[in-house]
Structures are given as structure tokens and as C-alpha cells.
């Protein structure tokens, strides 16, 4: 787990468990590996859908 102050912490559970404990108005899961705080998004760039 990384903070906005560049600290990192070990979390010994899965993301599903962690996200269930977070406020859904502030955090969301962007993929299988990352949960993002909405307040720290600078911009969103639309992807054309091709990998």
C-alpha cells in the first residue's frame, strides 16, 4: 500500500477485503492490482480500447 507521502505499507489481505473497508465515494478499483483515491487523480485520458 502506498500513501500520498510516498510511504509504503504491507497489507496482508486481498484487494477485495481492503476495498470493502474503504469509502466507495473516495476510492475505486482501477484493475486487479490497484485501488485509487479519487481526490488524487489529476486527469483522465480516454483510451481507444486497443491494447
Amino acid at each position: 500500500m502506498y500513501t500520498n507521502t510516498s510511504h509504503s505499507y504491507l497489507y496482508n489481505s486481498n484487494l477485495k477485503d481492503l476495498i470493502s473497508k474503504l469509502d466507495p465515494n473516495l476510492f475505486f478499483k482501477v484493475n486487479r492490482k490497484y485501488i485509487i483515491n479519487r481526490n488524487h487523480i489529476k486527469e483522465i485520458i480516454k483510451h481507444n480500447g486497443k491494447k
Side-chain angles (χ1 to χ4, degrees), residues 2-7 37 40:
Y2 294 95
T3 68
N4 63 342
T5 57
S6 300
H7 289 93
N37 182 324
H40 292 277

Side-chain angles (χ1 to χ4, degrees), residues 9-49:
Y9 300 92
L10 273 174
Y11 184 75
N12 291 325
S13 191
N14 58 39
L15 285 184
K16 184 178 179 181
D17 181 48
L18 177 60
I19 202 163
S20 71
K21 296 175 182 180
L22 298 172
D23 181 350
N25 295 314
L26 292 177
F27 295 90
F28 70 100
K29 188 173 171 183
V30 293
N31 61 28
R32 293 186 305 153
K33 295 173 79 173
Y34 297 105
I35 297 171
I36 304 277
N37 182 324
R38 295 175 191 268
N39 294 328
H40 292 277
I41 297 173
K42 292 180 183 177
E43 72 177 307
I44 297 175
I45 300 171
K46 186 176 179 180
H47 190 319
N48 65 6

